[in-house]
């Protein structure tokens, strides 16, 4: 089973094990040592001086003998012994002999002097433990140790904003391990409130710093990928660059909002660059051209168990885009390329004429919350509106004003903050662009089922009739809730039972036999084969009679329990024998359950 197979093949040799021993935080350990020495230097000097003065006084003050005559002062050893237990308030009494009055007076001085010295030192120690820099350094040391002891594959998530938190939830549901690096304490607190089944290591540090990535396990042999998902393009570029330089064997996926940053990332060898604005703009045009294909694509990439949505078909005609930043620009350019009239409203641009050859719309100065500006933009005659500002309340206000003038508008909203979800649900726009969801969902698809990304590329090139047929086939097998996709590679590592059967038998094993239910081979698993890859070629929607061959890679979509039952057949030769021939032999998976 190839859940996460893209990462599993990122090989590391024995040298990687040695590298893992180097994973840690030497700078953090040095910082802790220096902070302790710096903070406790004065208290230690105070304690040493108080002890020295106390011991010196006792060695100079004469004592008294049993008969009342003067006795010599204490030796240094006896004086130090007495000061030691007196300073710690143990109180053994007057040893080695009864004190003179002068010695008792000096003992009073010793008690107050040493107690004050120790109290001062303890207060400094408590203050050190409360110091944020000290806590962060100690936390880095603990996290480095935890990462070093990790024996399961994990991914490195840089950034715990809306995108990072959503990705953490999705990976957690798939029982995939991850380490998070985040510099914002507020976001870390939000993540700790998430109802995650595992307790992920969280490093409070700036992921743009190479040492932070090393501390979080970039060179660990179990590190399967780095995901640069901070809201700052510059930080994401720094993370991608550092990851490529420090460990070239680890795949890097990065989010980028600026085309220039995306170009720089690709030039540095970043494996996948996700631009949410361009991705959504492409989806909008796909929905306009082939709404069925867009419906299929959305269903396959939706969260698990999400209902199949109705078909969206953005209308053709004049569009108004409010907010001509990076998102507005990406949408405008594609709409103009479709031959549509576009008017952009933006406070940063002066009025100007359209230039379709350059992909530029007609421009008006304004925000979009002004009635006069919307009227000049032609909102009354427009068929669609894109509220693309970087403020959620502004986008909702623009959409509400525009709909009040033209209730038939097809409204596309940009949602910047996940916390405003309830507001967008209440407004009920036709389409909502959520950058965090686009990036996180694509990351999960790339990490868990890389073949799905290739299949989705095929979907974008097909027509509605083909997409409707795929949806029909899937609905027959899995119902209307979004299916889970997984990949099966027919090799001795991921499917040993199938691999052995393919080499041993003359009769070919078929996809239909893999899709039989282990509990009763007459029943079919709730799953559908979407694509088969063999020798570089692809076969879409292979039927049940398709013969399997060694090395095949098959993309399935279905319910989660179907995946688990299929996995049992991939590893159990006797169970596979039952599925292929109906013979239930002793020791087999089904035989043992019936016997039990």
């Amino acid at each position: 089973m190839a859940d996460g197979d893209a990462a599993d093949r990122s090989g590391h040799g024995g040298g990687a094990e040695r590298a893992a021993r180097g994973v840690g935080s030497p700078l953090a350990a040095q910082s802790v040592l220096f902070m302790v020495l710096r903070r406790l230097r004065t208290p230690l000097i105070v304690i040493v001086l108080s002890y020295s003065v106390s011991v010196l006084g006792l060695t100079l003050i004469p004592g008294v003998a049993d008969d009342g005559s003067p006795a010599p002062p204490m030796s240094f050893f006896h004086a130090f012994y007495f000061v030691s237990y007196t300073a710690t308030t143990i109180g053994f009494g007057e040893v080695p002999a009864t004190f003179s009055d002068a010695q008792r007076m000096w003992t009073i001085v010793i008690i107050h002097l040493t107690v004050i010295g120790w109290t001062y030192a303890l207060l400094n120690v408590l203050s050190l433990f409360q110091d944020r820099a000290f806590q962060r350094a100690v936390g880095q040391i603990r996290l480095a140790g935890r990462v070093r002891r990790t024996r399961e594959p994990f991914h490195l998530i840089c950034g715990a904003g809306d995108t990072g938190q959503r990705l953490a939830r999705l990976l957690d549901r798939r029982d995939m391990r991850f380490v998070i690096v985040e510099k914002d304490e507020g976001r870390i607190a939000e993540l700790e409130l998430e109802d995650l089944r595992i307790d992920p290591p969280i490093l409070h540090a700036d992921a743009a710093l190479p040492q932070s990535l090393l501390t979080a396990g970039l060179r660990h042999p179990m590190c399967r990928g780095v995901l640069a998902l901070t809201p700052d393009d510059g930080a994401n570029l720094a993370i991608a660059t550092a990851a490529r330089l420090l460990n070239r064997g680890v795949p890097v996926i990065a989010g980028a909002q600026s085309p220039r940053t995306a170009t720089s990332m690709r030039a540095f060898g970043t494996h996948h660059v996700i631009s949410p604005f361009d991705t959504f703009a492409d989806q909008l045009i796909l929905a306009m051209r082939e709404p069925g294909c867009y419906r299929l694509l959305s269903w396959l990439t939706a969260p698990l168990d999400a209902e199949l949505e109705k078909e969206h078909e953005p209308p053709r005609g004049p569009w108004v885009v409010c907010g001509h930043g990076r998102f507005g620009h990406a949408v405008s350019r594609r709409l103009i390329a479709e031959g549509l009239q576009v008017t952009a409203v933006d406070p940063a641009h002066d009025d100007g004429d359209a230039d379709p050859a350059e992909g530029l719309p007609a421009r008006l100065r304004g925000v979009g919350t002004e009635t006069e500006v919307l009227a000049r933009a032609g909102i009354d005659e427009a068929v669609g509106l894109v509220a693309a500002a970087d403020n959620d309340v502004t986008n909702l206000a623009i959409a509400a004003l525009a709909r009040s003038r033209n209730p038939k508008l097809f409204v596309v909203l940009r949602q910047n903050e996940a916390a405003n979800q309830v507001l967008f649900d209440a407004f009920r726009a036709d389409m909502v662009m959520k950058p965090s969801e686009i990036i996180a969902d694509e990351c999960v698809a790339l990490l868990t089922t890389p073949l799905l990304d290739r299949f989705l590329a095929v979907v974008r090139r097909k027509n509605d009739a083909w997409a409707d047929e795929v949806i029909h086939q899937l609905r027959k097998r899995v119902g209307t809730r979004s299916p889970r996709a997984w990949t099966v590679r027919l090799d001795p590592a991921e499917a040993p039972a199938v691999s052995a059967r393919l080499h041993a038998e003359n009769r070919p094993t078929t996809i239909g036999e893999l899709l039989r239910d282990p509990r009763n081979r007459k029943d079919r698993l709730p799953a559908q084969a979407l694509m088969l890859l063999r020798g570089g070629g692809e076969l879409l929607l292979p039927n049940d009679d398709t013969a399997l061959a060694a090395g095949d890679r098959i993309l399935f979509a279905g319910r989660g329990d179907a995946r688990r039952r299929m996995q049992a057949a991939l590893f159990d030769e006797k169970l596979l024998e039952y599925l292929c021939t109906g013979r239930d032999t002793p020791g087999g998976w089904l035989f043992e359950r019936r016997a039990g």
Side-chain angles (χ1 to χ4, degrees):
M1 191 68 58
D3 228 357
D5 57 353
D8 291 343
R9 290 186 298 281
S10 60
H12 296 269
E17 188 64 35
R18 293 190 296 275
R21 292 194 289 270
V23 173
S25 181
L27 293 180
Q30 291 177 8
S31 299
V32 169
L33 178 61
F34 290 147
M35 290 178 70
V36 170
L37 294 176
R38 186 169 58 248
R39 190 66 66 86
L40 297 184
R41 179 177 54 195
T42 303
L44 289 175
I45 292 174
V46 170
I47 291 175
V48 170
L49 287 176
S50 63
Y51 270 55
S52 301
V53 170
S54 300
V55 170
L56 179 62
L58 288 175
T59 58
L60 297 176
I61 299 173
V64 60
D66 292 340
D67 58 1
S69 59
M74 291 184 187
S75 66
F76 276 102
F77 173 75
H78 283 131
F80 182 70
Y81 171 66
F82 175 77
V83 170
S84 297
Y85 69 70
T86 300
T88 53
T89 68
I90 295 176
F92 285 156
E94 297 177 351
V95 293
T98 303
F99 285 5
S100 64
D101 290 343
Q103 287 177 315
R104 287 172 181 163
M105 286 296 296
W106 186 245
T107 299
I108 294 174
V109 174
I110 292 173
I111 292 172
H112 287 85
L113 190 64
T114 53
V115 167
I116 290 173
W118 276 114
T119 302
Y120 176 62
L122 289 175
L123 289 176
N124 273 274
V125 171
L126 292 176
S127 174
L128 176 64
F129 285 146
Q130 295 176 343
D131 188 284
R132 289 183 180 274
F134 180 79
Q135 291 174 350
R136 179 181 294 189
V138 172
Q140 288 184 3
I141 294 173
R142 289 177 176 172
L143 181 133
R146 189 175 171 188
V147 171
R148 191 166 49 246
R149 294 189 295 273
T150 298
R151 293 295 178 266
E152 294 181 81
F154 68 89
H155 292 88
L156 194 54
I157 300 177
C158 302
D162 288 345
T163 307
Q165 291 181 27
R166 179 178 176 83
L167 181 60
R169 288 193 294 271
L170 295 174
L171 295 183
D172 181 70
R173 289 175 192 168
R174 288 165 171 78
D175 294 325
M176 297 174 68
R177 300 293 184 262
F178 50 88
V179 177
I180 295 178
V181 184
E182 172 59 58
K183 66 178 180 180
D184 189 298
E185 289 187 65
R187 289 175 182 158
I188 292 177
E190 291 176 7
L191 188 64
E192 288 175 342
L193 293 176
E194 291 280 346
D195 183 22
L196 300 177
R197 291 182 293 184
I198 60 173
D199 179 24
I202 302 175
L203 176 62
H204 182 197
D206 186 353
L209 302 176
Q211 185 58 46
S212 300
L213 299 178
L214 293 175
T215 302
L218 175 60
R219 284 179 170 169
H220 195 289
M222 289 296 171
C223 182
R224 292 296 185 258
V226 177
L227 301 111
L229 305 177
T230 75
D232 181 1
D233 269 13
N236 289 341
L237 178 59
I239 294 166
T241 302
R244 293 292 294 148
L245 289 175
L246 298 176
N247 190 350
R248 289 188 171 275
V250 172
V252 180
I253 302 174
Q257 298 183 359
S258 162
R260 182 178 300 176
T261 304
T263 302
S264 300
M265 288 177 173
R266 292 190 181 97
F268 229 95
T270 303
H271 298 82
H272 297 281
V273 180
I274 304 172
S275 172
F277 301 151
D278 289 331
T279 299
F280 182 85
D282 290 338
Q283 291 176 358
L284 178 65
I285 299 305
L286 177 64
M288 191 175 287
R289 289 177 179 171
E290 304 289 350
C293 292
Y294 172 74
R295 189 185 187 205
L296 174 60
L297 185 146
S298 300
W299 194 35
L300 291 175
T301 56
L304 289 178
D305 297 331
E307 282 293 326
L308 176 62
E309 295 183 352
K310 66 178 182 179
E311 203 167 86
H312 292 279
E313 186 172 0
R316 291 181 175 272
W319 280 69
V320 176
V321 177
C322 294
H324 200 237
R326 288 169 294 193
F327 174 51
H329 184 73
V331 172
S332 298
R333 193 171 66 251
R334 283 164 176 79
L335 290 174
I336 292 172
E338 286 293 302
L340 303 180
Q341 174 188 334
V342 179
T343 302
V345 178
D346 193 283
H349 296 297
D350 293 327
D351 295 359
D353 296 328
D355 187 355
E358 295 293 329
L360 293 176
R363 296 176 298 280
L364 289 177
R365 190 179 185 86
V367 178
T369 54
E370 311 93 336
T371 305
E372 180 267 338
V373 172
L374 281 184
R376 288 176 55 208
I379 198 67
D380 297 332
E381 298 77 27
V383 298
L385 168 77
V386 180
D390 57 4
N391 183 287
D392 286 346
V393 176
T394 301
N395 287 334
L396 290 168
I398 293 170
L401 178 59
R403 262 193 179 168
S404 69
R405 296 181 60 94
N406 186 351
K408 294 183 179 179
L409 272 178
F410 187 94
V411 176
V412 178
L413 286 180
R414 172 181 173 180
Q415 180 182 343
N416 301 282
E417 302 290 338
N420 292 324
Q421 182 64 49
V422 63
L423 299 179
F424 284 79
D425 289 343
F427 187 85
R428 296 184 178 179
D430 296 289
M431 294 178 74
V432 179
M433 197 286 288
K434 306 174 186 175
S436 59
E437 288 192 6
I438 292 173
I439 296 175
D441 293 351
E442 189 164 343
C443 285
V444 170
L446 291 169
L447 295 176
T448 59
T449 48
L451 276 190
L452 178 61
D453 190 53
R454 181 165 176 168
F455 181 75
L456 295 179
V458 172
V459 171
R460 294 184 182 95
R461 300 193 300 268
K462 292 292 186 178
N463 56 34
D464 272 353
W466 181 86
D468 290 342
E469 176 60 24
V470 176
I471 292 176
H472 174 69
Q473 293 294 331
L474 274 174
R475 287 184 63 175
K476 281 199 309 183
R477 307 298 182 198
V478 305
T480 58
R481 291 179 298 153
S482 60
R484 178 172 185 172
W486 69 90
T487 304
V488 171
R489 176 190 289 270
L490 302 183
D491 61 18
E494 298 186 17
V498 179
S499 186
R501 191 175 184 86
L502 291 175
H503 285 91
E505 280 202 353
N506 293 325
R507 189 184 74 81
T509 304
T510 64
I511 286 182
E513 288 165 341
L514 282 185
L515 287 169
R516 287 174 176 164
D517 193 333
R519 297 174 300 185
N520 185 347
R521 66 186 297 272
K522 295 180 181 178
D523 296 334
R524 181 190 170 94
L525 292 174
Q528 173 72 35
L530 297 179
M531 185 168 66
L532 182 147
L533 288 188
R534 180 180 299 165
E538 60 190 25
L539 175 62
L540 300 177
L541 302 177
N543 60 39
D544 288 357
D545 296 330
T546 303
L548 300 175
D552 282 353
R553 297 171 66 195
I554 312 165
L555 175 66
F556 290 97
R559 303 259 68 87
D561 56 346
R563 174 179 175 272
R564 288 190 292 273
R565 291 177 208 165
M566 181 182 289
Q567 188 172 26
L570 298 178
F571 285 84
D572 190 327
E573 292 186 18
K574 293 181 178 178
L575 175 57
L576 185 62
E577 171 75 11
Y578 165 72
L579 295 179
C580 295
T581 65
R583 292 193 295 270
D584 185 16
T585 56
W589 183 86
L590 183 62
F591 186 91
E592 293 296 328
R593 276 152 184 77
R594 286 176 175 170

